[in-house]
Amino acid sequence: MSWQFNEENEKKFQTLLTRYPKKNSLSLPALWMIQYQDGWISEDAMKYLAKRLDTSPMDIYSIASFYSMFHLQPIGKYNIQICKTLSCKLRGSGDIKKYIENKLGIKAGETSKDMKFTISEVECLGSCGTAPCVCINEDYIQNSTPEILDEIISELK
Ligand code: FES
């Protein structure tokens, strides 16, 4: 096993250890640290974390694979998540998805060859009142339109 926390994450991990009565309660924050460190969560990293938390790799995998915000394979530098739930669907998220797919030449669920963009369709982003909502990395684009996204994606390219 070669994966390990970098120095900064190791310090955070040590601090968190003092705050939780049970080690495996750190699973979620530690998975976030892994994802911030590498951009995704590898099998090696899950095995490492399981060892650090005195639990099984399957426990860690079951948590990591349950939440759609954790990436179990490398993704693009810009992760474009398009909400496909009702409010957004009714307000045109389907057209937005088609527009982005055409602009980038990849389909939802795919990553561009240059590893710059990943497109995914996700369930409600919690911004139904400003539908349609698209999230790029951690930034929400509310009341989004193909025109707004065209400008943003062009700048990111
Ligand atoms: S339905 Fe799209 S943010 Fe809630």
Side-chain angles (χ1 to χ4, degrees):
M1 183 189 335
S2 57
W3 199 93
Q4 60 184 14
F5 282 133
N6 60 25
E7 201 176 317
E8 183 188 344
N9 278 336
E10 182 58 37
K11 279 184 195 162
K12 282 185 195 165
F13 185 77
Q14 292 301 328
T15 304
L16 288 172
L17 277 175
T18 65
R19 294 189 189 160
Y20 292 86
K22 287 182 178 177
K23 272 187 173 183
N24 66 1
S25 302
L26 269 74
S27 300
L28 280 175
L31 282 167
W32 275 117
M33 289 192 292
I34 292 169
Q35 186 155 289
Y36 279 121
Q37 184 171 318
D38 285 356
W40 66 293
I41 300 169
S42 65
E43 197 178 316
D44 269 0
M46 285 189 265
K47 286 179 183 167
Y48 168 84
L49 183 59
K51 208 167 190 165
R52 297 293 306 268
L53 298 180
D54 297 330
T55 187
S56 71
M58 189 47 78
D59 277 345
I60 298 299
Y61 175 77
S62 67
I63 296 166
S65 61
F66 178 79
Y67 294 102
S68 61
M69 69 269 203
F70 290 131
H71 311 300
L72 304 186
Q73 57 190 3
I75 61 162
K77 181 177 179 188
Y78 300 108
N79 183 26
I80 303 174
Q81 299 174 80
I82 305 159
C83 176
K84 65 174 180 180
T85 308
L86 190 61
S87 298
C88 289
K89 207 64 163 182
L90 291 173
R91 300 255 306 144
S93 67
D95 291 341
I96 287 172
K97 183 186 90 145
K98 278 186 210 150
Y99 186 83
I100 295 172
E101 285 178 337
N102 285 338
K103 182 164 179 76
L104 295 176
I106 54 172
K107 297 278 182 203
E110 295 178 348
T111 297
S112 59
K113 282 192 178 121
D114 63 2
M115 295 301 287
K116 212 157 183 194
F117 295 97
T118 296
I119 305 174
S120 54
E121 279 192 293
V122 296
E123 298 299 340
C124 181
L125 288 166
S127 188
C128 322
T130 55
C133 184
V134 173
C135 181
I136 302 181
N137 292 349
E138 292 169 3
D139 295 322
Y140 275 27
I141 294 94
Q142 298 164 319
N143 297 307
S144 59
T145 63
E147 292 76 23
I148 290 170
L149 287 158
D150 184 72
E151 199 177 321
I152 293 169
I153 292 170
S154 295
E155 278 177 29
L156 297 176
K157 272 185 164 183

